[in-house]
Amino acid sequence: MPLTTQPTWQPKMQSQMYPRTQLKKQPKMQPNIQSNIQPNMQPIQMREAFQPSSAAVSWTRNALASSLCPTAAWVALFTPAVFAALTVVAVLTASGGMAAETIQPAAGVRDIGSRRELFVDRFLVDRLDKLTMRLHQPQLAPPVAEPADNLEYGTVIKDGELFRLYTRDGRGAKFDGDAVEVTRYCESRDGIHWTKPKLGLVEIDGNRDNNVILHESPFCHNFAPFLDRRPGVPAEERFKALAGTVKSGLFAFVSGDGIRWRKLRPAPVITYTKEYAFDSQNVAFWSSHEGMYVCYFRHFLDGKLRSICRTTSKDFIQWTDPIPMRPNLPDEHLYTSLTHPYFRAPHIYIATPTRFFPNANNRTDILFMTARGDGAFDRTFRQAWLRPGLDSERWENRANYAAWHIVQTGPEEMSLYTTPFRRFTLRLDGFASLHADADAGRMTTKVFTMAGDRLVINASTSAAGAVRVELVDSKGEALDGFRMNECQPFVGDAIEATIQWKSNPDMRKLKGQPIRARFELQDADLYAIEFQADETRQVDFRKDLRGVFEQRC
């Protein structure tokens, strides 16, 4: 895997999860799906797959690199089983041979490395005392003076300094995939002021003076492009898309510039015949977390509810058998999923589906869900994220759709676009928070390991509020130098603020050690945390280790 540097921003002063009962263990590469959403159940446990910490990898690299290596062929002796065994040894050694802690089994220890973790689910949350998990509604921005085309099924991509927008123009279509549909393209340098370039690519009504990039049935109904971030992707395939209907199947498209597109192959890459499917945006992306392409597409769950299926691919051509994700609550249709990796924490997938009630005057609103890897969608927040509001037109049939992708539009801001063309804003990482009112409360994390040098938080307090933190060992005993009464309280509002303790203890000694954190909040919101390292990187254990062998041998 490539080196990945997290973006750095300068500080500026300013319900429980409802997992499903486990089914039988799924085959390899299939999602870990659960059958029913039930209230008041314990949070879902992490996957059983062992993932070595960076401390373990570092120790194993150093130990083996310094050992004798007669020939380069010796590397071939290291099978997956041997590497797994070495990893276990590395973990025990890096942690001083510490056995599993008594509060929580070793299999339940979260390895968060130096990743940013958001409080959009209960992944890290063990106990809440007088705190709540709060979902934050996006704020409607002023009307756009230079809007893009109206969104029907829309996609927004941030490509460097350029914002690209794609949308269906139904032009009075009578059915899905009607020949009159086209796909239009707009651009912006700030995500606020948009242009409609006259591309001259497609003749519409006898004229090429337009911004149409595609006019081919049935693909313009739900053409869903994305920027392929897979390392080594060919320049001419930097953009990819899926499009099609249940009759045609989903075809793969590629482009080098995001404007001129071609089919990757003359046949569909994904087909599905179990029930009606594909009749809205079917979204795919490269997952750096999973190391593969992931697609979430629309289907009819049990032939009754509009819902979401998942399939994966290593090459964007051959896809695994689709697995129903079953995120629906009773009588709840999910018209789209719009699932994508959050750009500041790509191991967390954000979904902003339209919730649809066909038996209640076709009313719609927009939800907020998350997923981690191949796990089930998390429904910590079951309420609407965006309500129809005071605008009577938003209460009409299918009147609320979000565009695919939430994008950064400022140093402290990200934007969500919705129909017909409105922009909503949130602070970075600000989907949800741990929230405290005037009375102080605490959150205790689950046991985790980290690989950082300092603790950085995204938080906001009132003038009277504060955030304090203490670190404790796996048995709950406060660690010297990191006690709550030694923490210098954070007061203010910052996207990134470093937590300090009075004696300035060395956090590096805690790398790879199973610990917990206790956060004390008063009149404050905590949006995200990160045990930040000087160099944040993702480690492919086997690939990283083989490089050392090859150099030494």
Side-chain angles (χ1 to χ4, degrees):
M1 296 184 183
L3 296 183
T4 303
T5 301
Q6 298 285 4
T8 302
W9 305 101
Q10 294 297 323
K12 181 175 181 179
M13 301 303 294
Q14 322 240 343
S15 90
Q16 289 280 349
M17 173 177 170
Y18 297 87
R20 290 172 285 262
T21 305
Q22 295 285 348
L23 291 175
K24 294 180 180 179
K25 188 174 182 180
Q26 299 291 335
K28 186 178 181 180
M29 292 183 65
Q30 291 185 346
N32 179 18
I33 307 304
Q34 301 168 317
S35 60
N36 296 293
I37 299 173
Q38 299 180 15
N40 302 320
M41 294 180 65
Q42 292 299 315
I44 189 170
Q45 295 298 314
M46 67 179 290
R47 296 176 60 195
E48 295 178 359
F50 182 81
Q51 298 181 349
S53 69
S54 58
V57 172
S58 176
W59 182 91
T60 311
R61 281 175 53 90
N62 295 336
L64 292 179
S66 62
S67 63
L68 296 178
C69 182
T71 65
W74 184 69
V75 178
L77 297 176
F78 281 80
T79 64
V82 174
F83 273 94
L86 287 172
T87 301
V88 173
V89 173
V91 169
L92 292 176
T93 305
S95 62
M98 182 177 295
E101 50 85 32
T102 57
I103 298 177
Q104 193 169 304
V109 176
R110 268 71 166 134
D111 180 7
I112 65 173
S114 55
R115 297 189 303 270
R116 179 177 289 107
E117 290 293 345
L118 279 61
F119 293 105
V120 293
D121 57 17
R122 296 183 66 95
F123 176 76
L124 274 181
V125 177
D126 187 14
R127 294 187 294 273
L128 292 173
D129 181 15
K130 297 182 181 179
L131 297 182
T132 58
M133 298 183 69
R134 173 171 289 189
L135 179 66
H136 294 275
Q137 277 68 39
Q139 300 301 303
L140 181 61
V144 179
E146 300 174 50
D149 287 306
N150 280 353
L151 295 171
E152 294 187 24
Y153 289 144
T155 298
V156 176
I157 296 173
K158 192 172 189 294
D159 179 17
E161 298 301 316
L162 183 65
F163 294 84
R164 303 176 184 268
L165 181 144
Y166 304 81
T167 185
R168 178 186 74 160
D169 181 356
R171 302 201 316 140
K174 304 298 183 182
F175 55 86
D176 295 352
D178 195 341
V180 300
E181 295 175 317
V182 300
T183 302
R184 296 188 181 273
Y185 171 82
C186 302
E187 290 182 348
S188 174
R189 290 291 174 180
D190 58 8
I192 300 172
H193 304 89
W194 296 84
T195 61
K196 305 172 186 178
K198 301 184 187 304
L199 302 172
L201 297 178
V202 180
E203 183 175 318
I204 300 295
D205 300 329
N207 189 350
R208 290 180 177 269
D209 193 18
N210 58 57
N211 62 339
V212 175
I213 61 167
L214 187 66
H215 184 200
E216 183 179 356
S217 175
F219 307 115
C220 297
H221 177 67
N222 53 12
F223 189 76
F226 68 98
L227 181 59
D228 188 353
R229 302 187 185 277
R230 178 176 65 84
V233 64
E236 64 273 16
E237 297 181 4
R238 198 164 68 96
F239 294 88
K240 289 183 172 65
L242 291 177
T245 62
V246 69
K247 291 182 179 180
S248 69
L250 294 183
F251 280 66
F253 290 75
V254 295
S255 172
D257 61 5
I259 297 175
R260 296 160 183 84
W261 294 82
R262 62 179 175 86
K263 292 188 183 74
L264 187 58
R265 55 178 291 183
V269 296
I270 301 175
T271 57
Y272 192 75
T273 58
K274 293 182 179 180
E275 60 262 333
Y276 197 68
F278 302 152
D279 55 323
S280 69
Q281 284 163 289
N282 306 285
V283 298
F285 54 87
W286 172 258
S287 170
S288 59
H289 178 62
E290 298 185 68
M292 63 184 70
Y293 293 101
V294 179
C295 171
Y296 291 91
F297 69 82
R298 217 296 265 294
H299 80 123
F300 270 76
L301 180 61
D302 301 327
K304 298 177 181 179
L305 296 175
R306 293 167 174 84
S307 192
I308 305 166
C309 262
R310 175 187 147 109
T311 176
T312 63
S313 172
K314 289 290 188 179
D315 59 7
F316 208 65
I317 296 175
Q318 303 295 327
W319 293 81
T320 58
D321 290 338
I323 303 295
M325 298 301 291
R326 298 180 177 274
N328 306 62
L329 297 176
D331 300 322
E332 184 182 64
H333 290 250
L334 300 181
Y335 210 91
T336 54
S337 82
L338 305 178
T339 308
H340 60 284
Y342 175 49
F343 59 90
R344 282 168 56 86
H347 60 290
I348 299 175
Y349 303 159
I350 301 299
T352 57
T354 289
R355 179 168 59 175
F356 177 52
F357 296 97
N359 298 323
N361 298 322
N362 296 316
R363 293 196 300 265
T364 58
D365 52 26
I366 296 173
L367 298 176
F368 176 83
M369 307 190 308
T370 60
R372 290 175 180 263
D374 64 359
F377 278 107
D378 181 88
R379 298 298 302 270
T380 293
F381 306 105
R382 297 178 296 160
Q383 69 270 35
W385 193 37
L386 275 179
R387 298 176 180 177
L390 294 172
D391 184 353
S392 60
E393 292 185 357
R394 304 278 67 79
W395 289 93
E396 295 178 359
N397 185 7
R398 296 173 173 84
N400 300 283
Y401 291 97
W404 185 30
H405 297 134
I406 293 167
V407 294
Q408 186 169 352
T409 49
E412 301 157 350
E413 174 194 89
M414 53 188 179
S415 293
L416 167 75
Y417 300 85
T418 72
T419 52
F421 190 80
R422 299 180 297 166
R423 186 173 76 97
F424 291 81
T425 63
L426 285 163
R427 73 184 286 143
L428 290 182
D429 309 333
F431 301 108
S433 70
L434 296 177
H435 174 78
D437 290 324
D439 295 328
R442 286 191 176 187
M443 185 275 286
T444 303
T445 70
K446 297 172 183 175
V447 179
F448 65 88
T449 58
M450 60 82 184
D453 303 311
R454 56 193 172 273
L455 173 58
V456 175
I457 65 172
N458 183 341
S460 172
T461 78
S462 71
V467 177
R468 295 177 177 85
V469 189
E470 77 173 350
L471 302 181
V472 303
D473 64 21
S474 60
K475 298 179 181 179
E477 298 295 328
L479 296 169
D480 289 340
F482 296 97
R483 292 182 173 85
M484 192 72 74
N485 60 8
E486 298 174 297
C487 180
Q488 297 180 3
F490 167 77
V491 179
D493 199 325
I495 301 300
E496 287 199 0
T498 300
I499 293 295
Q500 303 282 352
W501 287 267
K502 294 177 181 178
S503 61
N504 194 28
D506 186 0
M507 189 175 290
R508 291 175 298 178
K509 65 184 180 182
L510 302 180
K511 290 183 180 181
Q513 302 289 335
I515 60 173
R516 295 180 188 254
R518 290 186 182 131
F519 292 86
E520 183 178 275
L521 280 64
Q522 183 173 10
D523 205 356
D525 286 280
L526 178 63
Y527 301 93
I529 65 170
E530 178 184 1
F531 285 89
Q532 201 172 83
D534 291 332
E535 180 185 31
T536 301
R537 60 194 299 261
Q538 294 179 339
V539 179
D540 183 328
F541 178 72
R542 296 180 62 193
K543 180 179 178 181
D544 209 41
L545 204 55
R546 285 182 185 274
V548 174
F549 295 150
E550 291 166 359
Q551 292 172 12
R552 291 300 181 97
C553 300

